[in-house]
């Protein structure tokens, strides 16, 4: 097997860096999968060297080097400056990660944020490929400790002029939301992220509870019911913006909050309520690839 067809991907996380080699875009069988610690506390240059180390390790195992590689990162690269921004791994912000990686790896590097990698993985290998093969426009949502989004058009990530296409988590949604780290107030993320929901529950009940327990306790805990109702309301209000503006063929919901079953019935009813159309037929579905989506999506960035 030649190495021209293989797809190489790296998922750069705050604690782990994961790498994968897939056989080809037509047959994305996993040939190699490796993880090492990021060691982010040792600084930016060290993180770059760790990525190189992982690529070197995979190349040694498989017997050849990649001709290009895709890398999923927290945050996104500004198309005009080439610097990374909006990353929750703060030591990556304002750094020319793309250029530095091309320098140390000596191959073309394709970079996208983790939500875009999630969206393209589910499009090319996951639920969209299996159930909606004709979909042209796919919107991927991650609702976890933060809220992000990624847009895939005709099988390719759409980055936009500022490199922020799909950043659904920072649409303004409600005055009653909290201040957000992005500098604005009442963003989707301040209302729908797992931690934001837990903070809201604590603010009305005076007690700390994990989101999973809050959702379990809806029937007998009035504060849990309030938190749940608010989630459903703003899920509908927030996603209706995506339906109204982009009108995608399918929306995939990933992340821990995305595991709440009610999002797929009551949540969808709530989206319908706010959508500018007599009917809302957009499929809103769960992903199939789980935690693997990030690294698989990275591998497809250059494909």
């Amino acid at each position: 097997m030649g190495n021209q067809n293989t797809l190489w991907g790296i998922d750069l996380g705050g604690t782990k860096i994961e790498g994968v080699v897939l056989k080809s875009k037509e047959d994305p069988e996993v040939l190699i999968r490796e993880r090492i610690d990021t060691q982010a506390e040792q600084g930016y240059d060290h993180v770059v060297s760790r990525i190189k180390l992982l690529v070197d390790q995979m190349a040694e195992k498989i017997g050849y080097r990649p001709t290009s590689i895709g890398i999923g990162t927290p945050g996104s690269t500004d198309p005009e400056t080439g610097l990374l921004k909006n990353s929750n791994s703060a030591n990556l912000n304002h750094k020319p990660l793309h250029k530095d990686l091309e320098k140390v790896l000596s191959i073309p590097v394709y970079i996208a944020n983790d939500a875009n990698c999630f969206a393209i993985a589910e499009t090319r290998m996951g639920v969209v490929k299996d159930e909606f093969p004709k979909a042209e426009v796919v919107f991927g949502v991650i609702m976890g400790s933060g809220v992000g989004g990624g847009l895939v058009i005709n099988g390719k990530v759409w980055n936009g002029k500022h490199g922020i296409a799909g950043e659904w988590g920072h649409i303004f949604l409600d005055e009653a939301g909290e201040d957000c780290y992005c500098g604005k107030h009442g963003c989707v993320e301040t209302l729908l992220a797992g931690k934001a929901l837990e903070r809201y529950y604590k603010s009305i009940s005076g007690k700390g509870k994990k989101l999973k327990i809050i959702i379990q306790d809806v029937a007998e805990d009035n504060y849990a019911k309030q938190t749940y109702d608010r989630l459903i309301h703003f899920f509908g209000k927030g996603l209706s913006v995506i339906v109204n503006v982009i009108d995608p063929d399918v929306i995939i919901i990933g992340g821990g909050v995305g595991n709440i079953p009610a999002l797929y019935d009551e949540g969808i009813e709530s989206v319908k309520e706010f959508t500018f159309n007599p009917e809302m037929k957009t499929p809103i579905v769960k992903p199939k690839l789980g935690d693997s989506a990030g690294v698989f999506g990275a591998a497809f960035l250059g494909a």
Side-chain angles (χ1 to χ4, degrees), residues 6 58 64 91 113 132 135-136 161 169 200 229 249 278 286:
T6 53
M58 294 197 307
Y64 51 83
N91 66 4
N113 75 15
F132 309 97
E136 293 174 353
K161 181 171 173 58
Y200 177 75
D229 288 346
D249 296 307
K286 291 181 178 178

Side-chain angles (χ1 to χ4, degrees), residues 11-16 71-77 84-93 97 111-115 117 167:
D11 185 22
L12 173 58
T15 55
K16 292 265 190 303
I71 300 192
T73 62
S76 55
T77 302
L84 203 77
K85 61 184 177 183
N86 301 338
S87 170
N88 55 6
S89 296
N91 66 4
L92 300 174
N93 282 326
L97 182 66
I111 284 187
N113 75 15
D114 40 14
C117 289
E167 281 294 357

Side-chain angles (χ1 to χ4, degrees), residues 12-17 35-41 50 89:
L12 173 58
T15 55
K16 292 265 190 303
I17 306 173
R35 296 177 98 167
I36 60 172
D37 291 336
T38 309
Q39 299 177 353
E41 68 285 350
R50 296 291 285 171
S89 296

Side-chain angles (χ1 to χ4, degrees), residues 176-254:
E178 308 161 329
D179 290 334
C180 185
Y181 76 89
C182 75
K184 293 192 284 297
H185 175 89
C187 297
V188 169
E189 185 163 304
T190 70
L191 291 144
L192 297 182
K195 288 181 176 132
L197 291 160
E198 289 170 358
R199 282 195 298 272
Y200 177 75
Y201 177 84
K202 191 172 184 181
S203 76
I204 58 172
S205 70
K207 298 192 292 281
K209 254 187 199 183
K210 287 279 173 217
L211 182 60
K212 199 173 178 182
I213 309 300
I214 295 169
I215 299 302
Q216 279 172 10
D217 292 352
V218 164
E220 60 270 2
D221 176 350
N222 190 41
Y223 299 116
K225 178 79 168 77
Q226 280 181 52
T227 306
Y228 168 85
D229 288 346
R230 184 171 179 264
L231 161 64
I232 297 296
H233 174 76
F234 284 115
F235 177 78
K237 205 171 182 183
L239 267 194
S240 72
V241 176
I242 299 303
V243 179
N244 289 346
V245 175
I246 300 169
D247 201 8
D249 296 307
V250 57
I251 296 173
I252 319 147
I253 312 284

Side-chain angles (χ1 to χ4, degrees), residues 10-12 71-76 86 88 111-123 138-144 146-153 156-159 163-170 189 251-255 287 289-290 293-298 301:
I10 297 277
D11 185 22
L12 173 58
I71 300 192
T73 62
S76 55
N86 301 338
N88 55 6
I111 284 187
N113 75 15
D114 40 14
N116 279 322
C117 289
F118 163 76
I120 198 165
E122 289 294 343
T123 301
V138 176
F139 195 79
V141 164
I142 295 180
M143 292 169 62
V147 175
L151 183 58
V152 171
I153 300 176
K156 297 272 186 195
V157 168
W158 185 269
N159 283 309
I164 59 165
E167 281 294 357
W168 172 71
H170 298 280
E189 185 163 304
I251 296 173
I252 319 147
I253 312 284
L289 299 172
V295 75
F296 291 161
L301 289 177

